[in-house]
């Protein structure tokens, strides 16, 4: 058994003990949909920090010296981890937690009492308005072209906007079902597998609005950690 496998199993075991006392103490900001609850925003640095402190997790990007950025090809960036996603010594703790592998995102969700969504669950939450009484202009039962509605306005894409890179949680426009950043800001891991790959959804700040659309099918190696990939969790319905 590799060191990573052993450490990952230990992390999952610790999750059983820390979930009640650790995750229960976290501020809860979730949206209740007919089939499940879902995080209103992408998991933040602050939230992931509580998990790392409770479990002792040291992520792959931390162990390997940094995660990856695409600049004419994938390039490893020294010191770029979930704590400091763009390097340096400080970062807003409300930025999305990135530079995390699929397994690390999965472990966080288990610790928090949930799991990673399937692609079908994620797509349903991102595009089809399901709230019983959504505020105007949202229409219950309508499936929208973008997670932000009929157009991509208000999302953090590569177009000119207020955010040159990732935006803090809750700072972009709320979208379908009152969720933030289901389109753009950071790709999000889903549980769907294709061999050693896992699906990512939603696009990121590096891409244009076309990557926000439901028909986009993107996959990354499950052990890959990049500045563009974050996640959110789903939970049993309250």
């Amino acid at each position: 058994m590799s060191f990573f496998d052993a450490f990952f199993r230990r992390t999952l075991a610790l999750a059983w003990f820390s979930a009640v006392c650790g995750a229960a103490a976290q501020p809860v900001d979730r949206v209740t949909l007919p089939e499940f609850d879902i995080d209103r925003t992408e998991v933040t640095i602050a939230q992931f920090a509580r998990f790392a402190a409770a479990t002792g997790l040291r992520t792959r990007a931390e162990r390997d010296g940094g995660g990856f950025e695409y600049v004419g090809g994938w390039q490893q960036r020294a010191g770029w981890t979930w704590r400091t996603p763009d390097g340096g010594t400080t970062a807003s703790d409300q930025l999305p937690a990135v530079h995390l592998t699929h397994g690390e995102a999965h472990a966080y969700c288990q610790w928090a009492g949930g799991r990673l969504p399937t692609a079908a669950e994620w797509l349903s939450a991102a595009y089809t308005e399901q709230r019983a009484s959504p505020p105007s202009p949202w229409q219950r039962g309508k499936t929208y072209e973008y997670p932000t509605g009929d157009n991509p306005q208000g999302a953090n894409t590569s177009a000119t906007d207020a955010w040159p890179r990732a935006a803090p949680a809750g700072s972009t426009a709320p979208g379908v079902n009152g969720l933030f950043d289901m389109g753009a800001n950071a790709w999000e891991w889903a549980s769907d597998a294709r061999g050693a790959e896992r699906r990512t959804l939603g696009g990121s700040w590096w891409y244009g609005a076309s990557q926000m659309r439901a028909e986009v099918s993107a996959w990354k190696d499950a052990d890959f950690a990049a500045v563009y990939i974050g996640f959110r969790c789903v939970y049993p319905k309250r």
Side-chain angles (χ1 to χ4, degrees):
M1 180 184 297
S2 69
F3 172 81
F4 179 77
D5 289 337
F7 192 89
F8 183 64
R9 290 187 181 186
R10 173 182 174 271
T11 299
L12 292 181
L14 283 170
W16 289 100
F17 296 99
S18 62
V20 173
C21 59
Q26 296 185 61
V28 175
D29 191 9
R30 302 172 185 167
V31 172
T32 296
L33 300 179
E35 300 300 325
F36 52 84
D37 288 2
I38 185 169
D39 287 326
R40 189 179 301 276
T41 70
E42 292 160 336
V43 172
T44 65
I45 290 174
Q47 290 171 312
F48 199 83
R50 288 191 285 271
F51 164 66
T55 62
L57 174 67
R58 190 163 176 256
T59 65
R60 179 167 189 165
E62 291 174 293
R63 296 194 312 276
D64 291 352
F68 286 81
E69 180 185 31
Y70 192 89
V71 181
W74 289 110
Q75 299 185 20
Q76 188 174 24
R77 299 302 193 194
W80 288 29
T81 71
W82 66 269
R83 298 178 188 274
T84 52
D86 297 320
T89 57
T90 60
S92 167
D93 67 4
Q94 293 306 298
L95 286 170
V98 295
H99 294 297
L100 299 168
T101 68
H102 187 273
E104 291 157 356
H106 171 74
Y108 171 91
C109 289
Q110 283 202 326
W111 175 81
R115 56 180 173 79
L116 288 173
T118 65
E121 289 169 333
W122 194 98
L123 292 166
S124 172
Y127 297 97
T128 301
E129 178 59 60
Q130 299 170 55
R131 289 174 290 182
S133 300
S136 179
W138 305 106
Q139 301 175 39
R140 177 175 170 80
K142 180 176 177 178
T143 297
Y144 290 86
E145 188 170 355
Y146 297 93
T148 45
D150 293 322
N151 61 66
Q153 186 175 353
N156 178 22
T157 67
S158 60
T160 301
D161 55 36
W163 311 281
R165 291 176 75 88
S171 61
T172 58
V176 176
N177 293 311
L179 301 172
F180 289 85
D181 297 318
M182 294 291 274
N185 208 41
W187 291 96
E188 298 184 15
W189 287 115
S191 63
D192 296 48
R194 187 176 69 180
E197 296 179 317
R198 300 295 182 269
R199 191 166 177 184
T200 58
L201 296 145
S204 79
W205 56 264
W206 195 82
Y207 287 92
S210 63
Q211 298 299 303
M212 295 168 57
R213 298 172 67 93
E215 62 267 24
V216 173
S217 182
W219 301 80
K220 289 289 185 291
D221 189 278
D223 289 334
F224 190 58
V227 69
Y228 314 107
I229 306 174
F231 70 101
R232 75 183 72 211
C233 311
V234 296
Y235 310 86
K237 185 178 177 181
R238 288 176 288 191

